[in-house]
Amino acid sequence: VVDDEPKLVRLVREVLSAAGYSVVTTGNGAEAVQMAAVEQPDLMILDIRLQYGEFDGYEVARRVRQFSDIPIIMLTAKVRESDLLRGFEAGADDYVTKPFSSKELLARIRALLIRVDRKPGELSEGVIVCGELEINPASRRVKLSGNLVQLTATEYNLLYELARHPNQVMLHEQLLSAVWGAEYRDDIDYLRAYIRYLRKKLEAIPSEPELIVTVPGVGYMLVTLEGE
């Protein structure tokens, strides 16, 4: 848990400890990066606005992503789409807005740990090819035109869900439920932000997507011309 508000840290520690988790904490960004490397936690809860040390939450996430793919939940007092995109770019997997309930935080943690702990064999046996895009469920690796694309666990799960239904419209609610869980099914802005950043990594011109297309008011579709 990385936050410089002592009261919040105590609260989160108590909630997580009561749920059976072991917790280490710090309010310093640079120390958080070192602790992530040494402690190798299963998950990090990270405040965006750290007041102490030279790193804010975004920089902590970026540096941790250089050596670890642990899930990262960012804490923020408010969520704007620009904040979401910046967080996803830094490597965040989820957001929790302050103030939050203990039940909400625990639900997000459990859902995220389940997502990143999926066994490859449970997803698919064969490589999925959509034009220049290649998805290997066994290794959870994605290539575009032969080049490896670095995706977070959540980005991968979203792309995988779209790729399982090529040329089929996936409803907003379907994607949110499948990737994040049923409790997220109404968070369309959340999904929109993830799609936007996924396009940054996969589309030649993100503002004019040809791979992940929008069906206005309905959902999204992964387009492949194979077989035509």
Side-chain angles (χ1 to χ4, degrees):
V1 178
V2 187
D3 200 298
D4 51 19
E5 296 181 39
K7 289 183 179 180
L8 186 141
V9 171
R10 284 197 297 271
L11 171 63
V12 173
R13 180 195 286 276
E14 290 176 4
V15 169
L16 297 184
S17 296
Y21 296 105
S22 298
V23 184
V24 291
T25 68
T26 181
N28 182 284
E31 187 174 294
V33 176
Q34 294 176 347
M35 290 176 69
V38 174
E39 300 287 345
Q40 298 186 7
D42 295 311
L43 180 141
M44 176 181 282
I45 299 174
L46 174 63
D47 186 27
I48 289 179
R49 309 295 181 190
L50 296 174
Q51 301 298 319
Y52 305 116
E54 56 184 309
F55 301 160
D56 62 7
Y58 297 116
E59 184 61 22
V60 171
R62 277 191 289 270
R63 289 177 180 257
V64 169
R65 278 288 170 260
Q66 292 175 4
F67 60 84
S68 175
D69 61 356
I70 62 168
I72 296 175
I73 296 178
M74 280 193 161
L75 301 179
T76 177
K78 57 183 178 180
V79 179
R80 296 172 298 182
E81 187 172 2
S82 59
D83 292 327
L84 286 174
L85 292 174
R86 188 178 174 192
F88 296 152
E89 185 173 3
D93 294 282
D94 201 353
Y95 270 82
V96 173
T97 306
K98 300 177 185 178
F100 52 83
S101 70
S102 300
K103 288 184 178 180
E104 178 191 8
L105 181 61
L106 287 173
R108 297 277 180 126
I109 289 171
R110 288 166 180 153
L112 186 52
L113 288 174
I114 288 172
R115 293 205 302 271
V116 301
D117 195 41
R118 285 176 177 169
K119 301 297 185 294
E122 295 174 355
L123 296 177
S124 177
E125 295 182 355
V127 173
I128 300 173
V129 178
C130 297
E132 295 296 315
L133 183 67
E134 181 180 299
I135 302 168
N136 188 330
S139 63
R140 294 177 67 90
R141 291 162 70 94
V142 175
K143 291 183 178 181
L144 184 64
S145 300
N147 299 313
L148 190 64
V149 180
Q150 296 293 340
L151 299 179
T152 67
T154 303
E155 289 168 353
Y156 172 85
N157 290 338
L158 175 56
L159 178 62
Y160 174 80
E161 194 63 30
L162 287 165
R164 289 179 57 222
H165 308 88
N167 300 317
Q168 296 179 34
V169 179
M170 296 292 293
L171 303 181
H172 297 133
E173 295 81 2
Q174 287 178 314
L175 287 170
L176 285 162
S177 295
V179 177
W180 285 272
E183 63 271 26
Y184 291 79
R185 61 180 290 111
D186 296 322
D187 292 340
I188 295 177
D189 288 341
Y190 197 82
L191 172 62
R192 187 177 294 120
Y194 256 103
I195 289 287
R196 190 183 211 175
Y197 191 62
L198 199 53
R199 283 170 172 164
K200 277 189 172 185
K201 294 187 175 183
L202 300 177
E203 300 279 4
I205 306 176
S207 60
E208 300 176 12
E210 296 182 350
L211 183 65
I212 302 174
V213 302
T214 300
V215 181
V218 179
Y220 299 95
M221 177 171 62
L222 184 68
V223 175
T224 173
L225 301 179
E226 288 192 358
E228 292 189 359

